[in-house]
Amino acid sequence: MYNTCSPDKKCSETLDDERETTQVLLELPAGERIYRQNCSIVVKLPAGRRTLTTSWMNGGYRENLQCIINNQISREVQKGETKEENIFDYLSQVASKLGFDPLKSTIMLTAANMMNVAIVSKDFRGLEVTAIVTGGVEINGGRAGDPASYYQENGSHLPLNGTINIIIVINADLPEYSMSRVIMTATEAKAAALQELMVQSRYSEGIATGSGTDMIAVVSEMNSPLKLTDAGKHSKLGELIGRCVIEATKKALEKQSELTPISQRNMLLRLERFGVDEAYYWNMASRMAGENRKMRFLNDLRELAVNPLLVAATSAITHIVDEVSWGLLPEISARKAAFALIRQLPCILQNNQRPPENLLNDHDSIIDNLVYMTAWMVKNGITGEK
């Protein structure tokens, strides 16, 4: 038997444990029942539901599913020890343990803790959209087009260390093609949420648009008197989908990873995607004139990093770097503008000390020069007012 729970906190049930409790999270007016049980979030479906999912098990378009399950994976799957041909046995056992026919169940997998689920509903004139989201991007967050982690041929592994799983329930009758459009709108909304949080890719210098293992499921009600065909951004349905997914994605990431707009107000976090960390800073700073006391330097660096004036300037400078990489700015002009802003950093932090004339280096990158300046500021006691 597989253990259905990862070793995360607050989750100790197993498939052999009959004492697991069911916690009802939401019952929708149309009859869908959302609850947490045995390290899974379950959406129990009444009859007459269309579903479109990206699951390995009973994925694609279906009209006979009893449930959609979002399962917190076992230790074996999380470590990649479970062979692909055994995943279906694992999924079938999860469904059976929860009381469902594996042939009429679809399951999404994630390493996220099911205690950290976020559920958001929006409505308009009888139309109701509900998004159920779990998420984590601190390990596996990536940007579309990033370098691949593997090439699938004759089987593959299952990297699930960071996943945003989204279930969308709509109390309207949508044809198949409109359900596909729901997935498009929801995916854009997820990317928008990550953009608004400035979540970094772990595989490039870009902003993440999701993780490499995200999954999604859409539910619509075949017998609803409300018939809708457009789930794009111009439609009210599309608006509700976007608002639900953005809000639920942000809430899920806050619960799972304490990732919030406030937590992202940090220069060091903004520079991580460029390969800059505290060790990189110390390596630069230790070559500069002045006292070399590592722990004092790092403490002062952490204090400076959360100065909102510096975070704002860093945001502007890194965006210039992004626009150069996207081809929106010519590199020579962008470097001149960025260097002018970097030279003004002490003044922006309301300090009159002048850095050495040779501190910046025209041959090095914009990011390296930002590091030179801020490291010099730390060594010279410039932290500014918070």
Side-chain angles (χ1 to χ4, degrees):
M1 287 286 188
Y2 291 109
N3 180 342
T4 59
C5 303
S6 75
D8 289 351
K9 60 183 179 181
K10 300 181 182 179
C11 203
S12 60
E13 302 94 339
T14 69
L15 279 171
D16 296 317
D17 187 353
E18 299 296 336
R19 298 170 297 173
E20 68 267 6
T21 60
T22 298
Q23 181 183 7
V24 177
L25 303 175
L26 183 64
E27 293 191 24
L28 297 176
E32 291 86 357
R33 188 166 182 259
I34 305 165
Y35 58 92
R36 178 169 41 228
Q37 181 182 348
N38 198 29
C39 290
S40 293
I41 299 297
V42 179
V43 180
K44 187 175 181 180
L45 303 175
R49 294 301 186 269
R50 291 191 177 99
T51 60
L52 183 62
T53 79
T54 59
S55 173
W56 295 279
M57 188 170 81
N58 301 319
Y61 179 77
R62 301 277 174 168
E63 295 184 358
N64 67 338
L65 294 186
Q66 298 174 336
C67 65
I68 298 173
I69 299 168
N70 186 12
N71 176 251
Q72 183 182 350
I73 58 177
S74 71
R75 182 188 299 271
E76 292 89 348
V77 178
Q78 188 170 350
K79 289 185 175 182
E81 297 170 358
T82 301
K83 295 181 179 179
E84 186 177 15
E85 58 266 26
N86 295 331
I87 288 297
F88 292 97
D89 292 337
Y90 173 85
L91 298 175
S92 295
Q93 290 178 38
V94 170
S96 297
K97 180 61 180 176
L98 292 169
F100 295 101
D101 181 352
L103 298 178
K104 296 183 179 181
S105 307
T106 191
I107 301 178
M108 301 186 291
L109 298 179
T110 178
N113 195 307
M114 294 297 106
M115 298 295 292
N116 297 327
V117 65
I119 302 176
V120 174
S121 294
K122 306 286 183 184
D123 62 85
F124 179 80
R125 294 185 182 177
L127 170 63
E128 184 172 84
V129 176
T130 298
I132 305 115
V133 179
T134 58
V137 291
E138 63 273 17
I139 296 175
N140 196 29
R143 184 176 182 85
D146 278 353
S149 299
Y150 67 92
Y151 172 64
Q152 184 174 8
E153 184 174 6
N154 299 323
S156 67
H157 66 293
L158 297 169
L160 291 164
N161 290 321
T163 301
I164 299 174
N165 282 345
I166 301 171
I167 303 172
I168 299 172
V169 183
I170 303 169
N171 71 337
D173 181 12
L174 276 66
E176 295 177 49
Y177 65 86
S178 296
M179 295 178 71
S180 299
R181 190 61 179 267
V182 172
I183 291 179
M184 289 180 61
T185 301
T187 301
E188 290 185 37
K190 174 189 65 178
L194 298 181
Q195 180 188 49
E196 290 175 10
L197 289 169
M198 291 297 291
V199 175
Q200 70 177 76
S201 168
R202 298 297 176 177
Y203 305 96
S204 71
E205 294 183 353
I207 303 300
T209 54
S211 86
T213 52
D214 293 350
M215 304 188 80
I216 191 167
V218 180
V219 180
S220 73
E221 185 180 345
M222 286 190 285
N223 300 319
S224 172
L226 185 58
K227 313 290 183 181
L228 299 176
T229 60
D230 188 1
K233 292 183 289 297
H234 295 304
S235 69
K236 195 65 180 182
L237 173 58
E239 176 195 329
L240 297 183
I241 293 167
R243 290 169 58 199
C244 282
V245 171
I246 289 173
E247 184 177 337
T249 298
K250 288 183 175 181
K251 286 183 176 180
L253 293 175
E254 179 177 2
K255 288 182 175 183
Q256 178 71 25
S257 310
E258 297 182 345
L259 176 59
T260 68
I262 302 300
S263 73
Q264 292 294 85
R265 295 178 188 175
N266 187 309
M267 178 191 68
L268 291 172
L269 291 179
R270 300 297 183 90
L271 295 179
E272 272 188 8
R273 62 189 172 104
F274 300 101
V276 175
D277 57 15
E278 290 183 353
Y280 191 88
Y281 256 99
W282 175 244
N283 183 47
M284 296 293 186
S286 60
R287 304 174 187 177
M288 296 179 176
E291 189 177 39
N292 283 333
R293 297 175 60 182
K294 183 175 181 179
M295 293 311 301
R296 179 175 178 177
F297 173 84
L298 293 180
N299 287 335
D300 290 346
L301 174 64
R302 292 164 191 157
E303 180 181 351
L304 176 66
V306 296
N307 184 294
L309 292 172
L310 181 59
V311 175
T314 300
S315 178
I317 293 166
T318 56
H319 190 68
I320 290 174
V321 175
D322 287 335
E323 294 218 359
V324 171
S325 71
W326 301 333
L328 295 176
L329 290 175
E331 184 171 2
I332 294 176
S333 298
R335 285 178 64 87
K336 288 181 179 179
F339 274 53
L341 186 53
I342 292 170
R343 291 189 183 95
Q344 290 299 311
L345 285 178
C347 182
I348 290 173
L349 269 66
Q350 301 176 352
N351 188 282
N352 294 324
Q353 293 188 61
R354 295 177 62 86
E357 290 293 331
N358 62 349
L359 179 64
L360 303 187
N361 186 335
D362 288 336
H363 300 291
D364 290 335
S365 70
I366 292 172
I367 297 299
D368 275 344
N369 278 278
L370 174 59
V371 172
Y372 300 154
M373 178 62 76
T374 47
W376 175 84
M377 291 165 62
V378 172
K379 294 200 77 170
N380 285 272
I382 302 174
T383 59
E385 296 181 3
K386 294 184 180 179

